[in-house]
Structures are given as structure tokens and as C-alpha cells.
């Protein structure tokens, strides 16, 4: 399987007012695609770089121009997005996985594709490597996200081409992948959720080293998410048994929900559900399950109790008013 290391540059309107934006028009219009193809040994074997002629925003945003050093006249010599995208997908081949520095590029790529009524990259969530995350977990040993240039300096990679152009950033991201040798880290794939599972059977259920992830289908109403039996279930992802809850689901903010259950074989599991809004204005859940300690469970239960007390105090003050 090839790894397609992708980077994009995009432009936007100089007006930040939402009322000036047309419905269905992407906030960010892609103006350059750069990519590097890696073989199974993570060696660079091919390169791709194309400018895209703007169809939406015909004035370069002042910040964009300062960062990428591109002029609108240069872009006018490019080709339309659908034409470049078709060529790019043909170049990618059949058996590949995308890799990007951070999670935004694939989201904006698919938004632009949808605007031009192009065929989706795949059914449901798109699997990819978030190299920024892999670098943080493997090298920094935490979830702190570092800049691309920080990673280049860390590995002492020669800066032989300028940053902040699509091809150069894809090239540097590929050079970082060359240095990450731990096979286990490549099991930690990410999922872009621009397109969500269309049915319960298509939902994502995947076990990673140390935790499990579940991505639900869409729901019409927010309250229906936590009412769904799969979303609200507390299973052990190792032995697949339904577990009795030690702490019922609770939310401190209406977006994040927490629960704890106990497996007689594997111990305590902490569950976290993030309820998110889809591109279609509907709702879906991303649930993670992770083993934890009794001490951490007690801290979470205390946080829940403190949250309950705080809500009671706010309610009493509100009634007094």
C-alpha cells in the first residue's frame, strides 16, 4: 500500500462576515495541491504539484498572500479544481492511504469536492495518518501538537526548500514519516468524519493499542444520540461483554459524556462520548473506551459530584432571583 502525503494551500474571502458568504460555498477554496507518494518502505517514489485556478475568490486574502507568497496572476495560469483533482486521484493509484500534517486538509479537500459535485473519496469516514499526532505520541510521548518546522528541527532534517507551499510541506511531512520507525505507531490511524456511516452496519468500531474507538451514524436530533443503545453501551472491548456501570452517564457541558464500568477480567473502563454536529446539520457520536485505575475512577466520580453541587447552587440562586 502506498502512502500519499498530502498538503493543500487555500484562499478565502477578505470579508469575515458570515452574512456575505453564499450557502454551500466553501469558506476555504483550494488553490494548490502538493503530494509525495511513499512506497511500503516509506521511501519517496513520486511527486505531485499543481496550482488551481480560482473559481470562487478572485482576490487573494492578505494573510494568505503573506504566508505562501503566491499572486493571483500565478493562480490564473492554473487549471480548474475538478480537472486537477481527477488527475491527482489517478496519480494516487488504487491501493493507498492519505497522510497529512494535522486533520484539516482532508476535511477541506472533501468540502471542495462536494462543491463541484465530485464523487466522494470513499464511503463513510476516511482513514488516514495524522502525522502531527503520530510525531507527538511517538517522539514527544504526549498529545501536545507541534509545528511542522519543530519536527523538522527535532530530526535535524535539512531545510532545502521553503516552507508554506503545498509541495514543500508535503515533502517535509514525508521526511518526518521516514524517521518514525515504530511499526506499532502506524496502527494509530485517524478518521476524517466529513462523510459519516450511512447505517448501523457501517459504523466504525476499531481497537487500538490501549483503547477502542467507535464512530456512529447520524441522528436527526441531539438527544437521540445518547438514547441509542450502541452509543450508550458499556462493553469491554477485549472480551466484548456488556458491563454493569459503576458510574452512569453524565455530562458537564452537553457535549462530552462520561461513564465507568467494571470488567471482572480486565478491570475498570472509562468511556467518553463526544457529540458532534455533522456537515448536514445532524448529530453523531465519537466514543472512546479506555482502561483506567480505581484512583482515577474515584477522581472522576468526585468531579461528577462537584458538578452536581454546582448545578444545584446555580439553580437555588436562580430561584431566589
Amino acid at each position: 500500500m502506498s502512502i500519499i502525503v498530502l498538503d493543500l494551500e487555500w484562499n478565502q474571502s477578505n470579508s469575515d462576515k458570515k452574512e456575505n458568504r453564499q450557502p454551500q460555498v466553501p469558506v476555504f477554496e483550494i488553490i494548490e495541491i502538493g503530494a509525495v507518494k511513499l512506497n511500503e518502505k516509506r521511501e519517496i517514489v513520486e511527486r505531485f504539484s499543481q496550482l488551481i485556478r480560482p473559481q470562487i475568490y478572485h482576490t487573494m486574502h492578505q494573510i494568505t498572500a503573506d504566508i505562501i507568497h503566491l499572486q493571483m496572476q500565478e493562480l490564473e495560469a492554473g487549471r480548474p479544481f475538478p480537472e486537477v483533482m481527477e488527475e491527482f486521484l489517478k496519480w494516487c493509484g488504487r491501493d493507498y492511504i492519505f497522510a497529512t500534517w494535522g486533520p484539516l486538509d482532508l476535511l477541506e479537500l472533501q468540502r471542495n469536492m462536494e462543491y463541484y459535485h465530485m464523487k466522494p473519496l470513499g464511503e463513510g469516514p476516511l482513514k488516514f495518518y495524522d502525522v502531527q499526532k503520530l510525531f507527538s505520541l511517538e517522539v514527544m510521548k504526549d498529545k501536545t501538537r507541534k509545528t511542522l518546522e519543530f519536527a523538522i528541527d527535532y530530526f535535524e532534517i535539512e531545510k532545502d526548500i521553503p516552507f508554506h507551499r503545498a509541495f514543500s510541506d508535503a515533502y517535509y511531512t514525508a521526511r518526518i514519516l521516514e524517521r518514525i520507525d515504530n511499526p506499532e505507531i502506524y496502527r494509530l490511524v485517524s478518521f476524517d468524519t466529513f462523510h459519516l456511516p450511512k447505517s448501523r452496519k457501517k459504523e466504525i468500531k476499531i481497537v487500538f493499542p490501549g483503547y477502542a474507538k467507535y464512530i456512529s451514524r447520524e441522528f436527526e436530533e441531539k438527544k437521540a444520540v445518547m438514547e441509542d443503545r450502541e452509543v450508550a453501551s458499556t462493553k469491554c472491548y477485549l472480551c466484548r461483554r456488556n458491563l454493569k456501570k459503576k458510574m452512569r452517564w453524565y455530562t458537564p457541558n452537553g457535549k462530552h459524556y462520561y461513564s465507568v464500568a467494571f470488567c471482572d477480567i480486565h478491570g475498570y473502563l472509562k468511556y467518553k462520548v463526544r457529540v458532534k454536529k455533522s456537515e448536514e446539520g445532524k448529530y453523531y457520536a465519537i466514543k472512546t473506551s479506555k482502561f483506567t485505575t480505581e484512583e482515577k475512577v474515584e477522581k472522576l466520580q468526585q468531579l461528577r459530584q462537584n458538578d452536581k453541587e454546582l448545578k444545584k447552587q446555580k439553580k437555588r440562586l436562580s430561584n431566589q432571583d
Side-chain angles (χ1 to χ4, degrees), residues 35-85:
V36 171
K37 184 182 292 185
L38 305 182
N39 61 19
E40 292 181 353
K41 297 180 181 179
R42 300 193 308 281
E43 299 169 330
I44 297 175
V45 292
E46 292 184 42
R47 307 179 181 204
F48 184 95
S49 180
Q50 288 288 336
L51 293 177
I52 294 169
R53 186 189 309 152
Q55 305 294 313
I56 304 172
Y57 306 119
H58 296 278
T59 302
M60 186 71 76
H61 191 279
Q62 56 186 11
I63 297 178
T64 303
D66 291 340
I67 293 175
I68 66 176
H69 304 293
L70 264 177
Q71 301 300 319
M72 190 58 65
Q73 294 87 337
E74 296 175 80
L75 295 177
E76 292 296 340
R79 292 179 291 148
F81 176 82
E83 185 179 325
V84 173
M85 192 63 199

Side-chain angles (χ1 to χ4, degrees), residues 195-249:
H195 294 292
L196 289 159
K198 298 300 182 184
S199 66
R200 186 181 294 278
K201 289 184 179 180
K202 298 288 186 179
E203 291 177 332
I204 302 294
K205 298 176 183 178
I206 185 168
V207 176
F208 296 109
Y211 73 103
K213 177 175 281 190
Y214 160 74
I215 303 174
S216 78
R217 66 198 186 283
E218 291 176 287
F219 296 85
E220 293 290 339
E221 297 181 355
K222 186 177 180 180
K223 67 177 183 178
V225 178
M226 292 306 298
E227 291 174 353
D228 180 76
R229 68 175 186 272
E230 186 64 43
V231 176
S233 67
T234 50
K235 295 178 182 177
C236 174
Y237 65 80
L238 293 180
C239 60
R240 304 304 303 162
R241 292 188 304 158
N242 287 309
L243 306 178
K244 186 176 181 180
K245 296 180 182 67
K246 292 293 184 179
M247 187 180 82
R248 293 183 179 181
W249 287 104

Side-chain angles (χ1 to χ4, degrees), residues 102-233:
L104 296 180
D105 286 274
L106 287 175
L107 173 63
E108 298 305 331
L109 184 68
Q110 292 177 98
R111 281 176 175 162
N112 278 251
M113 290 179 69
E114 184 173 75
Y115 175 74
Y116 288 105
H117 308 290
M118 299 185 72
K119 183 180 178 181
L121 292 172
E123 290 186 7
L126 185 64
K127 187 187 298 184
F128 72 104
Y129 289 127
D130 181 345
V131 184
Q132 187 183 43
K133 182 179 80 172
L134 299 186
F135 174 80
S136 294
L137 293 175
E138 175 64 13
V139 178
M140 309 310 295
K141 305 302 181 183
D142 59 28
K143 296 182 179 180
T144 304
R145 287 187 175 264
K146 300 296 185 180
T147 66
L148 180 59
E149 191 163 5
F150 178 96
I152 292 297
D153 289 337
Y154 180 89
F155 284 126
E156 298 181 345
I157 295 171
E158 182 183 358
K159 300 176 186 177
D160 47 0
I161 52 177
F163 284 87
H164 306 307
R165 287 291 299 269
F167 173 75
S168 62
D169 287 2
Y171 168 77
Y172 284 127
T173 302
R175 295 296 308 277
I176 292 167
L177 273 179
E178 289 177 336
R179 304 297 182 94
I180 301 177
D181 293 327
N182 182 3
E184 285 296 303
I185 206 71
Y186 289 97
R187 292 176 58 188
L188 300 178
V189 294
S190 297
F191 289 89
D192 178 86
T193 55
F194 182 83
H195 294 292
L196 289 159
K198 298 300 182 184
S199 66
R200 186 181 294 278
K201 289 184 179 180
K202 298 288 186 179
E203 291 177 332
I204 302 294
K205 298 176 183 178
I206 185 168
V207 176
F208 296 109
Y211 73 103
K213 177 175 281 190
Y214 160 74
I215 303 174
S216 78
R217 66 198 186 283
E218 291 176 287
F219 296 85
E220 293 290 339
E221 297 181 355
K222 186 177 180 180
K223 67 177 183 178
V225 178
M226 292 306 298
E227 291 174 353
D228 180 76
R229 68 175 186 272
E230 186 64 43
V231 176
S233 67

